[in-house]
Amino acid sequence: MAKWVRMGLLGLVLVTGQGWADAGEALVVTIRHFVEGQWAGDQGELSVVVEHPAYGQWPERCLSPQVSLPPGVRPEGRFMVAVRCAGETDGSVWSRMIPVRVTLTADYYVARHPLMRDTPLNETDFDIRHGVLDHSGVVTRQTPLAGKVLRQGLNAGQVLRADMMREAYAVQQGQTVQVQVVGNGFKISTDGQALNNAALGQNVQVRTATGKMLSGTAQENGTVLVNPGN
């Protein structure tokens, strides 16, 4: 489970007025939780630093804060989040861009030697490094590699990211598979041809020898389970 290191508000001492300070502190907590959610699943020590608004002051109150990432912005390194306080009792709306800095300190995988696309992942192919990461998606040491394959080739020394790997296919396009149609009190088995790649538990389309199209779930050993009720 991830260990969070929560950093406080920078520049809060510059805010004048208790109302602004209270609202600012509450918003910092809301923003921090939002950013932590963007990094959910990353294992290590996460540091989230919420800075003073890019311009202006914190609001005197914020009854219904809305936090979002601007289009095209990734929650990595130093970035901005959009914060909006709507539904105030006087009908006013407060909105600001808030700077945030985030880093993750963790053990992560680095390719020991060049690896080709579709290579099954094995820990022996990687070195473990420990350091500060300023971007999400890096595969940390706590993430099991078994059952995963590379979506793309890796160079020696390249950091492994989650978007570089996928689940191994249980069924591959063009493969001859055993189709099992299971219903209430009956079970029929036949052969067919898989029309798409599918990992374990994913949907796969199959064409039987008679030309009938079926949709089922990829199982182990090249089997496709079809429930006629679906």
Side-chain angles (χ1 to χ4, degrees):
M1 188 172 184
K3 177 183 177 183
W4 306 120
V5 177
R6 298 184 174 182
M7 305 295 289
L9 174 67
L10 297 185
L12 185 59
V13 294
L14 300 179
V15 179
T16 59
Q18 186 61 40
W20 276 338
D22 291 344
E25 290 174 351
L27 277 176
V28 166
V29 173
T30 299
I31 295 167
R32 186 186 296 126
H33 288 169
F34 171 80
V35 173
E36 289 173 353
Q38 307 301 306
W39 284 66
D42 290 278
Q43 304 294 307
E45 296 181 357
L46 185 68
S47 168
V48 178
V49 177
V50 179
E51 300 181 4
H52 197 76
Y55 58 92
Q57 300 282 4
W58 295 99
E60 290 189 27
R61 57 190 177 277
C62 186
L63 302 182
S64 52
Q66 300 173 8
V67 184
S68 62
L69 287 173
V73 173
R74 295 178 62 87
E76 302 174 348
R78 190 176 188 275
F79 58 97
M80 297 282 191
V81 295
V83 180
R84 186 175 188 271
C85 296
E88 306 292 356
T89 54
D90 60 0
S92 63
V93 175
W94 181 93
S95 62
R96 293 288 189 277
M97 299 299 293
I98 308 297
V100 177
R101 289 189 293 110
V102 60
T103 58
L104 178 73
T105 303
D107 293 333
Y108 57 94
Y109 293 104
V110 175
R112 181 171 295 173
H113 49 78
L115 296 169
M116 297 181 63
R117 176 182 176 181
D118 294 329
T119 299
L121 293 179
N122 192 307
E123 290 189 11
T124 59
D125 292 321
F126 294 90
D127 292 320
I128 301 297
R129 302 278 176 82
H130 181 83
V132 177
L133 307 168
D134 63 359
H135 51 277
S136 61
V138 172
V139 179
T140 52
R141 189 176 188 176
Q142 291 85 350
T143 303
L145 301 183
K148 305 287 197 307
V149 298
L150 286 174
R151 292 182 181 272
Q152 62 187 69
L154 287 182
N155 297 320
Q158 190 169 357
V159 176
L160 179 64
R161 294 175 59 103
D163 57 5
M164 296 175 177
M165 62 185 190
R166 60 168 174 80
E167 296 289 340
Y169 292 140
V171 170
Q172 297 191 47
Q173 183 176 4
Q175 176 184 345
T176 298
V177 296
Q178 183 184 58
V179 181
Q180 295 184 349
V181 183
V182 180
N184 188 14
F186 71 91
K187 178 178 180 181
I188 301 173
S189 296
T190 186
D191 289 336
Q193 184 181 48
L195 302 181
N196 61 280
N197 297 319
L200 191 68
Q202 291 184 340
N203 185 264
V204 57
Q205 303 293 316
V206 177
R207 181 190 296 115
T208 67
T210 61
K212 186 174 182 179
M213 304 293 291
L214 298 173
S215 179
T217 304
Q219 307 292 303
E220 295 179 344
N221 303 320
T223 300
V224 176
L225 180 64
V226 176
N227 186 342
N230 294 337

